Amino acid sequence: MNKTIKYKIINKALLFISFLLITTFVISSCETDETQTVATFTELVMSDEFDTDGAPNSAIWNYNIGTGDNGWGNGELQYYTDRTENVTVQNGVLVITAKEEQFNGSNYTSARLLTKGKFQQTYGRFEARIKLPYGKGIWPAFWLLGDDSNGSEVWPQIGEIDIMEYVGNHPTKVFGTVHGPGYSGAQGVTKSYELDGDRFDTGFHIFGIEWGPDYINYYVDDVLYNQITPEDVTGEWVFNRGPFYIILNVAVGGALPGSPNAETVFPQNMLVDYVRVYKNSYN
């Protein structure tokens, strides 16, 4: 049996149990000194298990297309498409592929999926099980952005929660960050998590946040490695309002990772086994 499919069968049984039990997170492995706030969650409200081959579920996912403004604000080099060459569901996983190719004036292509206007939520548990790509200039992310559909507020006032970011030439380390007014871009509030003796491109890992009023907890697998609160930011805390939508993407180049080099291998794939969102006691 395919290992991913076998894992999903086990996971779905555990999901059923989660509806019957109130789950609390273990915080003993957290590295921060302060007392951690940890909520409970009991209801799965959105799940994409990527069980149907072909295009991603159009009831959940939209796409950003093109290069955006200044490479989506980060000087990124790729052209985002919705082509099957860049985004598809195969064998129980979502595959986002970054390719080196000439396309509409860009030297690279990739994909960026978002749930804007289809699924949005304030607070809760947001998680995804992902196997990451690797290589200099490769920049995948799983993140949330505040709803900006009314046009009255723009980034960073709308708020951004980066559940997982990663640069491919540091395959043992991921980081979680928040951006808001007064603490955006390079001034974002962030902390990294590093694997001991393993790499994020060699297997699947679960990246998640538990988000409630005045705090956001960051997890890798079962480890709570950071909590961010209003006391940690240098401007307005914009995360007690919403809703926020989900984004999954693989960027190529940009301000954070720099450009690919001669050792960067293409294509590069980010594999997403599932995305799940739960309500917590604040919803």
Side-chain angles (χ1 to χ4, degrees):
M1 180 183 290
N2 179 282
K3 289 184 179 179
T4 299
I5 294 173
K6 183 177 181 181
Y7 180 92
K8 285 189 173 184
I9 291 171
I10 295 170
N11 242 311
K12 286 175 181 176
L14 293 174
L15 274 177
F16 176 76
I17 295 172
S18 74
F19 284 114
L20 305 179
L21 299 175
I22 295 177
T23 304
T24 58
F25 292 106
V26 177
I27 63 173
S28 59
S29 57
C30 185
E31 298 174 359
T32 52
D33 294 328
E34 70 273 13
T35 301
Q36 302 293 306
T37 303
V38 181
T40 62
F41 65 88
T42 57
E43 182 181 351
L44 182 70
V45 293
M46 191 280 276
S47 173
D48 196 338
E49 304 295 319
F50 303 112
D51 288 335
T52 302
D53 284 2
N57 186 347
S58 61
I60 299 175
W61 302 104
N62 296 310
Y63 305 90
N64 284 133
I65 303 295
T67 58
D69 182 17
N70 182 32
W72 302 99
N74 302 302
E76 299 166 29
L77 303 176
Q78 79 290 325
Y79 191 103
Y80 283 133
T81 86
D82 59 359
R83 305 178 305 161
T84 57
E85 294 94 327
N86 296 115
V87 56
T88 190
V89 177
Q90 294 179 348
N91 301 319
V93 295
L94 172 69
V95 184
I96 299 178
T97 301
K99 302 184 69 175
E100 184 176 21
E101 60 177 336
Q102 297 291 320
F103 189 87
N104 287 356
S106 296
N107 295 323
Y108 305 92
T109 61
S110 187
R112 174 162 149 162
L113 288 73
L114 61 161
T115 65
K116 182 177 180 178
K118 298 190 175 186
F119 177 81
Q120 304 183 163
Q121 180 171 295
T122 305
Y123 306 145
R125 166 82 179 182
F126 294 73
E127 68 176 32
R129 184 172 183 260
I130 303 173
K131 181 180 179 182
L132 294 172
Y134 72 95
K136 181 72 169 67
I138 304 299
W139 184 11
F142 167 43
W143 50 299
L144 309 180
L145 199 60
D147 184 13
D148 55 356
S149 58
N150 62 15
S152 62
E153 291 184 341
V154 298
W155 189 90
Q157 187 66 38
I158 56 175
E160 176 182 330
I161 303 171
D162 299 326
I163 301 172
M164 179 280 300
E165 282 187 284
Y166 160 97
V167 291
N169 56 322
H170 296 289
T172 64
K173 184 183 295 186
V174 295
F175 48 97
T177 309
V178 296
H179 299 273
Y183 49 100
S184 61
Q187 284 72 50
V189 179
T190 188
K191 186 174 182 178
S192 64
Y193 177 85
E194 188 161 7
L195 290 175
D196 183 11
D198 199 359
R199 294 163 52 121
F200 285 105
D201 62 315
T202 59
F204 284 90
H205 294 270
I206 299 171
F207 306 99
I209 59 165
E210 170 67 26
W211 171 24
D214 293 336
Y215 76 94
I216 303 168
N217 287 347
Y218 281 83
Y219 296 82
V220 174
D221 298 321
D222 61 348
V223 178
L224 169 58
Y225 73 94
N226 195 26
Q227 179 173 94
I228 300 175
T229 71
E231 288 70 31
D232 298 312
V233 304
T234 55
E236 180 187 359
W237 179 263
V238 291
F239 307 105
N240 287 347
R241 56 185 180 182
F244 281 58
Y245 55 87
I246 300 168
I247 303 175
L248 287 165
N249 70 291
V250 178
V252 179
L256 184 62
S259 298
N261 61 21
E263 297 178 356
T264 307
V265 177
F266 286 94
Q268 285 292 324
N269 296 320
M270 180 167 79
L271 307 181
V272 185
D273 185 29
Y274 63 74
V275 176
R276 297 172 185 161
V277 182
Y278 299 81
K279 287 185 177 180
N280 62 17
S281 50
Y282 303 111
N283 292 111

